[in-house]
Amino acid sequence: MLDAGRHPRVELLAYSEIEGLKRKGGKFSLKVRKRTRYVDEEICNACGDCVSKCPGKAPDAFDMDLRKRKAIYLYFSQGIPAVMTIDSDHCIYFTKGKCGVCKKICDKGAIDYEMKDKILALDVDAVIVATGLDIFDPTALTHYGFGKIQNVITGLQYERLINATGPTGGHLHRPSDGKLAKKVAYVQCVGSRDLNNCAYCSSVCCMYSIKDAMLAREHDPESVSYVFHTDLRNVGKGFQKYEKRAAEEYGVQYIRGRVAEIEDGPNGNPIVWYEDTRKRKVESLETEMVVLATAAMPSRGALGLAKLLRIKADKYGFILCPPEQPADTSVAGIFACGFCKGPCDIPEAVSQASAAAERAAARIYEEVGV
C-alpha cells in the first residue's frame, strides 16, 4: 500500500465512487465523485492532535462496532492515504452547529467545514473491477442469537478481538463481561449454502475458522475449540494437512452437525444445541463464546455498479466472466478480479489480480500500437 501511495504514476482516489461511464470509441469516460473529508489531504499529516481533543464519538466500523472512535478519525492506522476524515453524521459541529475544536487545534489549518464533494472526469483505456466482499448480517437468523446474546459474535469481530491493534489488544475477552474466553465454538455455514440467503459455499470459512481456533490456543494454552460443520471444504494446497494439524497439535475438535439453536445460558455462556450426525442424536454444549462463520457476499452496491458499467452479474451480484477469459467481463476493456467474481481466498485473488492487470496492460498496448 505504501508503494502504491508513493508511486509517481499511481493516483489514488480513496473515499470516491463511480457515478457514470460512457464509451468513447475504444476508451471510457468515467464520472467520479470524490467525497469530501472536510480535511485537506494535501495539508493533513495525520498527527492525531484533532482526534485526541474531539468530543464526538461514533461506532468504529473497522473494529466491527466493538468500540467507539472519534467523529474525526483515521479509518485504520495503516490506511493510505494517511489523512483524517470528519464523520458529519456524528460531528457536533455538523449536527448541532457547535464545537469546532478540531479546526482550532489543527496548527496546519487542514480543517475546512465548507469543503464540498468534487466531480472528476477521467478518460481511461481500461477498467478493473476489484470491489471485494461484505459479510452477511446474521441478525435475521434469530436461532443463532446474534445481536441478543452478547457472547455470540461474527468471525470478523473475532479477528478484531484477536488482533493486537484491536479493541482488546489481542486478548480474547468476552463482550459481556471482559473475561477471557477459554471454551469457544465456531459455527460454519451461517447464511452460506442456504437457499433462503446465500445458496453458494463462501469457500474461505472453514479455513479461517480453523485458523482462529489455532490462534485461540496460541493465545491461551488452556483454550478449547469446537468447530461445528456440515462438512469441511478445505480444497487448497496443504489445507487438509492444516486441518489435521489443528486437531493433533492444537486440540481443535470437529463436530459434524448443523447447529439448530443457540440460547443464552448461565453467566452469559451460550449453549449450542445441535444434532451430532455421527452419533445420530441431539446434544448441547455450553461454551463461553460462539463465533459465527458468516457468509461472504459481493460488496454492497456491487450489483448497482455492474448495472452502471453495463457488465453482466448473477443474481447475487457476482460479476460474470467467461471460463475461457476469466479476467474479462461482458464488456470489452472492463476486467474483474477477486471476490467480486465469486468466493475465493487470498492466493486466488492475487492470481486473478495479476491476470486482470495483464489483460488491461495488453489492451493499452494495443491502443498505442505497441
Side-chain angles (χ1 to χ4, degrees):
M1 291 191 295
L2 287 171
D3 288 344
R6 294 167 177 163
H7 200 289
R9 301 189 70 179
V10 174
E11 183 180 0
L12 295 178
L13 298 178
Y15 210 49
S16 304
E17 55 191 29
I18 293 176
E19 290 197 340
L21 176 141
K22 293 182 180 179
R23 296 291 297 267
K24 296 176 66 175
K27 298 189 178 185
F28 303 96
S29 178
L30 292 175
K31 178 183 176 183
V32 179
R33 177 178 294 274
K34 185 171 176 56
R35 297 171 62 190
T36 180
R37 299 178 185 272
Y38 303 103
V39 177
D40 192 323
E41 295 184 17
E42 300 298 322
I43 299 176
C44 178
N45 65 355
C47 67
D49 289 347
C50 55
V51 177
S52 64
K53 299 297 183 181
C54 175
K57 291 187 177 182
D60 192 328
F62 185 77
D63 270 328
M64 304 303 295
D65 297 342
L66 291 170
R67 65 175 167 186
K68 299 278 189 178
R69 59 159 170 79
K70 296 296 185 73
I72 187 168
Y73 67 104
L74 193 65
Y75 185 58
F76 70 107
S77 55
Q78 292 82 30
I80 304 295
V83 294
M84 298 297 173
T85 302
I86 293 179
D87 180 350
S88 59
D89 291 334
H90 294 89
C91 173
I92 297 174
Y93 179 87
F94 286 98
T95 58
K96 298 183 178 179
K98 301 177 181 179
C99 193
V101 168
C102 55
K103 187 171 185 176
K104 295 173 186 175
I105 203 168
C106 181
D107 293 335
K108 293 185 173 293
I111 309 298
D112 183 357
Y113 300 128
E114 303 302 319
M115 289 180 74
K116 304 294 183 183
D117 292 356
K118 294 181 180 179
I119 303 298
L120 308 177
L122 304 176
D123 292 325
V124 300
D125 295 297
V127 175
I128 297 177
V129 181
T131 49
L133 61 91
D134 271 316
I135 296 300
F136 173 78
D137 182 355
T139 304
L141 303 180
T142 55
H143 53 288
Y144 290 123
F146 181 76
K148 295 182 179 179
I149 303 174
Q150 282 188 285
N151 295 322
V152 175
I153 63 174
T154 66
L156 268 184
Q157 287 178 320
Y158 179 97
E159 293 282 347
R160 294 311 302 151
L161 288 176
I162 210 77
N163 191 288
T165 65
T168 58
H171 301 291
L172 197 55
H173 292 161
R174 307 195 318 169
S176 66
D177 52 19
K179 292 181 179 179
L180 196 64
K182 295 179 178 291
K183 192 175 182 181
V184 184
Y186 302 83
V187 180
Q188 302 305 105
C189 298
V190 177
S192 296
R193 301 168 68 183
D194 181 346
L195 294 178
N196 294 315
N197 294 290
C198 304
Y200 53 85
C201 171
S202 294
S203 116
V204 296
C205 317
C206 291
M207 287 307 296
Y208 81 62
S209 292
I210 294 171
K211 177 211 67 173
D212 288 344
M214 294 167 73
L215 283 174
R217 175 62 68 89
E218 288 182 353
H219 279 69
D220 182 0
E222 297 179 359
S223 173
V224 180
S225 296
Y226 305 83
V227 177
F228 292 88
H229 65 96
T230 304
D231 51 37
L232 292 172
R233 293 185 166 183
N234 303 327
V235 296
K237 183 178 180 181
F239 286 6
Q240 186 74 15
K241 185 177 179 181
Y242 192 84
E243 174 194 326
K244 291 182 178 180
R245 179 179 165 221
E248 294 169 359
E249 298 181 21
Y250 291 81
V252 176
Q253 299 183 40
Y254 301 112
I255 299 176
R256 187 172 178 268
R258 196 100 182 204
V259 170
E261 184 181 8
I262 300 172
E263 63 180 36
D264 203 0
N267 303 315
N269 291 343
I271 299 175
V272 179
W273 287 90
Y274 63 98
E275 179 189 6
D276 189 317
T277 55
R278 289 194 173 93
K279 297 179 181 177
R280 296 190 177 185
K281 58 186 296 188
V282 174
E283 295 190 338
S284 65
L285 177 70
E286 183 177 333
T287 66
E288 295 177 355
M289 181 183 285
V290 173
V291 181
L292 304 179
T294 47
M297 310 166 67
S299 292
R300 293 175 183 85
L303 196 55
L305 178 64
K307 291 178 180 178
L308 190 150
L309 298 177
R310 298 176 184 175
I311 56 179
K312 292 181 179 179
D314 66 17
K315 62 181 180 180
Y316 300 109
F318 291 118
I319 307 302
L320 293 174
C321 299
E324 64 274 13
Q325 289 286 2
D328 292 38
T329 68
S330 56
V331 174
I334 300 181
F335 309 99
C337 60
F339 212 96
C340 71
K341 292 174 48 183
C344 64
D345 62 8
I346 292 172
E348 188 176 353
V350 171
S351 176
Q352 292 180 18
S354 296
E358 189 277 333
R359 292 290 292 142
R363 179 179 175 81
I364 294 170
Y365 292 154
E366 289 171 5
E367 290 292 328
V368 298
V370 175

